[in-house]
Amino acid sequence: MSTIADLPRQQFQSDANRTANDAPRRAAVRRALSNYQTARDRTGATFTDWKSARASAATIKHEAVNHLDRYLEEFEQKFTARGGKVFWATDSKQARDYILNLAKEKGVRSIVKSKAMTGEEIHLNEALIKEGYAVVESDLGEYIQQLKGEPPYHFVFPCMHLRRDEISDLFHRELGTAKTDSPEELTMIARNVLRRAYVDADMGISGGNFIVADTGMISITENEGNARLTVGLPKIHVALIGIEKVVPCLADLALFLPMLATAGTGQHLTGYNSMYGGPRQPGEIDGPEEFHVVFLDNHRTRLLADPEQRDALHCIRCGACLNVCPIFKNIGGHTYGTTYQGPIGSVITPHFRGLEDWKHLSGASSLCGACTETCPVGIDIHHHLLHNRRNAAAQKPAAGEQLLWKAFSFLMKRPALYRLATKFAPLGGLLHPLVEGTAMDPVASWTATREFPAAPQGSFRERFRAHKAAKAELVKKGGVQ
Amino acid sequence: MRVTLFVPCFIDSLYPNVGMSMVHILERLGHSVDFPEEQTCCGQPPFNSGYWEEARSVAVKQIEVFKNAEVVISGSGSCGAMFKVFYPELFHGHSAEAEAKALSAKTWEFSEFLVNKLGVTDLGARFEGRATFHDGCHGLRELGTKQAPRELLSHVKGLELVEMSEAETCCGFGGTFAVKYPQISTAMAEVKCNSICETKADYVISNDSSCLMQIGGWLNRNVGSVKCLHLAEVLASR
Ligand code: SF4
């Protein structure tokens, strides 16, 4: 990540320039994702009808998101009836403070965490570590990123950009273990550290994949069994979940669990799917004594207030839109500088963190629509990028750019002028003086890496005119046609 | 049938042959081809950049130009999608909404028009060579065009069509994106072109000239041997 650049846009530009030129890393990311694509195609084909599954999923999420208040309260009622506690956090500070206070009050010393992007979103680890708590990430990928001191590269595959030898070197450096090329051995190294962490921890923190309203349960999906231990072993558990994760009823998971697995990793079902309904009940032999659910708003209600883009709250964070995105594949996850990378991140980050600072992400897209095509819950992702661009231009037009488009439309509204102008200069040449030497100069920017098409002999309209004239001549001479 | 051509600004000035090929094909099929000279640009560049007011002022002119057309045919999936998909959105709640929807309803992408409106798949074309087909994103995902161009190409004598692994992957053009983020755009072109080269094709064919400008731009700089052709150019050859 860049050190000179301070603004998100500058950081993005300079990181994108660097990563788009990093051929080996791009190749590694593509390789990793091509395996995903094969698995996903195979599993997706086992759905009788993916299209209608998608439509049903969208309908269910639409219902849930449009009645968030009702479903979240239903959850709260059921969950608290079993002794669970629910805290509604308006923003990241409230969520952090609640967890920090709880840890302090209960005399917590060490914490084990399973994967939670909401934790990244509110910078929870940093806050806990600053207060002196030992925090260990228990998901293997997250653990590797924690050791490396880097945020996740991809919100489903946190260390997908790393090669095995890089992980081995990292373990060697940080843990003093012998170098190895075997994935099993690498997993065992991490497992040894992590097993100790579960036993030591007096608090577990997790995210949650679904909030099930009618049973008052949260559903967690994972492949390593680490979330089960994170929830099951420590005395206190906190699940930090975005309010949009709700589904109306348990039966909905019959659709969402296989769908999340298929879209997310190409599996039929993820390895472990667990439901948690609160703290340990009388007579039960395991589970935490205290179970807290922190509902995180953190500007999700801003999206909720926008009818055009509200469907972005349908997101089940499967990561599929990243996996098919040609931009993501070429610039990688860290370049975005956001908690949520890829197309969906580019849509929602401006709502969460401000349009002015994050509009560039919506601009950095060819609008190819691969994301929208793949999204299991039918979010209109790439059109929302267009909407963000429109909203950004309306909110604060870029002076130079607005002038350019005004000139452009002035010309294009006047066919005679357009004809006259294009007769003497190719189209690009016309508006060129407006942007020459600026970042928007299309000529320099194009020709640095690509050839420009050779100028043809005469425009289409000239040739069409000649063609029509020749035909008319033929008719006059009594020829056919 | 009276067919009205929409030849977007960059095809007009950079790829006149594409437009003329469409004219020849349609005339051979016995249709009269009309090209209103007042047309300029669909307004996609400002639209995609977020300047919808400016885009509307250009778009409203095009709506007027094509008002009396029976059908409007576009040789670019992207500009066709602008008429067909984005005009209704751009004019949503504006006075020209009904006209925008009417234009949308009678607009066709070239290959879709031939196959699904006219029911023609064999144009009697002959073209020697090995080629691969690039699906332009707007044609593919906004308009749903996938089979029509392949259907048409399968009847071209002498042509061997081989699918590339990345046929549906974006070439990285994306309008102003190509010049605002040239590094990303170029990296995408490289991926696309490597996939084209893997097929050992002599030609890459597409139904969108804007993609071909990007693909050709990269190929000519880095490879040189693969040529770009618009679908209409292939279908017009004998
Ligand atoms: S936007 Fe759709 S594809 Fe992307 S992560 Fe969310 S659910 Fe998955």
Side-chain angles (χ1 to χ4, degrees):
Chain A
M1 266 163 273
S2 165
T3 46
I4 9 159
D6 46 355
L7 291 168
R9 188 186 57 77
Q10 286 169 5
Q11 182 246 305
F12 179 84
Q13 270 286 6
S14 68
D15 285 1
N17 290 352
R18 181 172 47 75
T19 51
N21 281 314
D22 184 348
R25 187 70 66 206
R26 280 166 60 211
V29 168
R30 293 177 58 73
R31 246 194 324 277
L33 290 176
S34 78
N35 294 339
Y36 157 83
Q37 195 59 49
T38 320
R40 177 181 172 160
D41 289 347
R42 205 175 40 230
T43 325
T46 60
F47 271 75
T48 328
D49 184 354
W50 177 258
K51 239 194 179 151
S52 44
R54 224 182 152 209
S56 313
T59 310
I60 296 168
K61 286 303 288 187
H62 183 267
E63 163 65 19
V65 163
N66 281 276
H67 301 100
L68 263 192
D69 51 343
R70 195 207 301 156
Y71 290 118
L72 289 174
E73 277 176 11
E74 188 182 351
F75 170 92
E76 182 178 36
Q77 201 198 350
K78 301 264 162 68
F79 185 75
T80 49
R82 282 188 296 265
K85 294 204 168 64
V86 173
F87 178 73
W88 300 70
T90 304
D91 55 22
S92 47
K93 184 172 185 313
Q94 282 189 7
R96 273 194 314 264
D97 287 350
Y98 180 81
I99 298 169
L100 284 168
N101 286 337
L102 184 68
K104 192 167 163 197
E105 202 181 286
K106 304 288 170 183
V108 167
R109 295 213 321 275
S110 60
I111 297 170
V112 68
K113 234 179 117 254
S114 66
K115 195 163 165 25
M117 288 311 293
T118 41
E120 298 293 325
E121 184 182 330
I122 68 167
H123 302 288
L124 183 59
N125 283 7
E126 292 91 316
L128 289 166
I129 290 166
K130 203 171 135 226
E131 293 300 314
Y133 300 101
V135 183
V136 180
E137 290 286 350
S138 63
D139 171 273
L140 180 58
E142 291 286 352
Y143 176 65
I144 290 168
Q145 289 307 97
Q146 187 184 24
L147 274 188
K148 205 158 186 290
E150 264 184 357
Y153 191 79
H154 177 299
F155 58 72
V156 174
F157 311 126
C159 67
M160 65 170 293
H161 60 308
L162 297 180
R163 291 187 314 265
R164 218 178 294 154
D165 61 298
E166 291 175 300
I167 297 171
S168 166
D169 287 350
L170 175 74
F171 283 177
H172 174 71
R173 197 169 62 237
E174 298 294 327
L175 307 171
T177 51
K179 292 192 182 180
T180 169
D181 191 37
S182 140
E184 289 77 26
E185 281 179 34
L186 287 172
T187 310
M188 282 316 295
I189 295 172
R191 184 170 292 179
N192 285 337
V193 178
L194 294 173
R195 286 280 139 121
R196 270 200 311 274
Y198 295 120
V199 179
D200 293 347
D202 23 35
M203 178 187 263
I205 298 177
S206 70
N209 296 91
F210 299 98
I211 301 165
V212 182
D214 73 340
T215 56
M217 290 175 163
I218 61 169
S219 161
I220 298 182
T221 280
E222 43 141 358
N223 267 318
E224 296 165 15
N226 64 303
R228 288 192 166 187
L229 295 172
T230 300
V231 181
L233 290 179
K235 282 204 309 287
I236 306 164
H237 188 74
V238 181
L240 174 63
I241 316 180
I243 51 175
E244 81 284 12
K245 290 290 180 82
V246 73
V247 291
C249 58
L250 188 61
D252 296 331
L253 295 189
L255 172 62
F256 281 107
L257 293 180
M259 180 169 255
L260 175 59
T262 302
T265 52
Q267 292 168 283
H268 287 288
L269 261 186
T270 314
Y272 300 86
N273 293 283
S274 312
M275 306 287 304
Y276 302 101
R280 181 190 302 194
Q281 302 294 296
E284 289 182 350
I285 52 165
D286 59 4
E289 288 161 21
E290 275 185 38
F291 204 128
H292 302 251
V293 165
V294 177
F295 280 149
L296 185 65
D297 173 353
N298 208 22
H299 306 311
R300 283 162 175 77
T301 40
R302 272 195 206 156
L303 255 176
L304 191 62
D306 180 351
E308 191 173 49
Q309 296 195 39
R310 186 179 296 156
D311 69 347
L313 291 174
H314 295 182
C315 179
I316 56 173
R317 301 276 185 271
C318 69
C321 56
L322 283 65
N323 303 345
V324 299
C325 176
I327 313 288
F328 177 87
K329 286 186 197 176
N330 284 305
I331 65 173
H334 287 151
T335 304
Y336 291 85
T338 57
T339 308
Y340 305 101
Q341 311 81 6
I344 188 65
S346 301
V347 170
I348 63 178
T349 305
H351 295 266
F352 290 1
R353 295 166 73 178
L355 183 58
E356 191 47 30
D357 281 345
W358 298 95
K359 62 181 180 188
H360 58 280
L361 296 179
S362 299
S365 163
S366 63
L367 303 173
C368 77
C371 48
T372 305
E373 182 181 60
T374 207
C375 175
V377 291
I379 301 172
D380 201 4
I381 307 173
H382 74 299
H383 290 155
H384 291 333
L385 298 175
L386 263 174
H387 300 143
N388 280 341
R389 294 182 189 186
R390 178 203 59 203
N391 296 347
Q395 181 180 303
K396 194 165 178 242
E401 194 173 347
Q402 192 174 36
L403 180 67
L404 173 73
W405 297 125
K406 285 215 181 303
F408 180 89
S409 58
F410 181 86
L411 179 71
M412 293 300 180
K413 274 190 293 202
R414 291 166 179 77
L417 183 63
Y418 164 82
R419 278 200 298 275
L420 185 72
T422 47
K423 216 175 151 77
F424 295 110
L427 187 57
L430 279 173
L431 302 167
H432 192 214
L434 276 179
V435 286
E436 195 165 2
T438 70
M440 281 205 58
D441 184 343
V443 177
S445 168
W446 182 274
T447 53
T449 53
R450 292 154 290 194
E451 298 296 321
F452 200 69
Q457 290 294 321
S459 68
F460 169 76
R461 51 190 77 218
E462 285 163 358
R463 287 171 60 177
F464 185 76
R465 233 178 276 144
H467 170 78
K468 278 277 166 186
K471 276 187 77 171
E473 190 65 17
L474 255 174
V475 172
K476 224 166 62 191
K477 283 187 187 150
V480 248
Q481 285 197 323
Chain B
M1 191 186 296
R2 188 168 58 87
V3 176
T4 303
L5 283 190
F6 166 45
V7 178
C9 46
F10 73 99
I11 294 190
D12 178 32
S13 56
L14 294 172
Y15 300 103
N17 208 28
V18 172
M20 287 314 294
S21 301
M22 289 168 59
V23 173
H24 294 315
I25 291 167
L26 292 164
E27 285 185 349
R28 275 181 209 152
L29 290 171
H31 302 287
S32 79
V33 180
D34 174 30
F35 173 78
E37 290 234 1
E38 302 287 283
Q39 61 180 283
T40 55
C41 166
C42 62
Q44 191 168 180
F47 175 75
N48 276 358
S49 303
Y51 292 83
W52 287 23
E53 202 46 58
E54 287 73 10
R56 251 191 305 272
S57 75
V58 175
V60 98
K61 287 280 168 199
Q62 314 311 315
I63 291 176
E64 233 173 81
V65 170
F66 292 103
K67 202 168 187 159
N68 296 316
E70 195 181 336
V71 284
V72 177
I73 311 300
S74 165
S76 152
S78 182
C79 307
M82 186 67 194
F83 277 14
K84 208 161 177 58
V85 179
F86 296 113
Y87 271 22
E89 181 171 6
L90 183 61
F91 285 97
H92 181 72
H94 287 257
S95 56
E97 185 172 357
E99 286 94 332
K101 284 187 175 150
L103 176 56
S104 161
K106 64 184 177 188
T107 298
W108 290 81
E109 182 274 332
F110 181 59
S111 67
E112 290 285 345
F113 178 71
L114 292 175
V115 175
N116 294 322
K117 174 82 174 172
L118 298 181
V120 186
T121 50
D122 190 345
L123 293 158
R126 166 173 289 283
F127 187 90
E128 295 292 334
R130 184 179 165 89
T132 190
F133 190 82
H134 162 70
D135 292 288
C137 299
H138 271 138
L140 178 70
R141 300 198 183 86
E142 305 294 348
L143 301 176
T145 300
K146 175 79 187 177
Q147 288 314 323
R150 287 174 172 77
E151 182 87 40
L152 291 161
L153 288 172
S154 72
H155 290 95
V156 175
K157 292 182 193 60
L159 184 76
E160 184 196 356
L161 191 69
V162 275
E163 290 288 343
M164 64 177 124
S165 58
E166 304 267 5
E168 296 187 358
T169 303
C170 180
C171 66
F173 179 67
T176 50
F177 167 76
V179 290
K180 280 189 183 167
Y181 294 96
Q183 281 83 357
I184 309 177
S185 170
T186 303
M188 288 163 74
E190 183 190 335
V191 170
K192 183 88 219 180
C193 294
N194 285 340
S195 183
I196 292 169
C197 292
E198 268 171 25
T199 65
K200 305 262 187 296
D202 315 304
Y203 300 95
V204 50
I205 304 172
S206 180
N207 48 353
D208 209 321
S209 294
S210 49
C211 306
L212 291 175
M213 182 158 104
Q214 162 90 343
I215 293 172
W218 195 92
L219 285 173
N220 288 338
R221 175 71 54 92
N222 297 284
V223 180
S225 58
V226 188
K227 288 190 197 61
C228 292
L229 285 171
H230 188 279
L231 177 69
E233 295 177 288
V234 178
L235 297 178
S237 12
R238 306 220 126 169

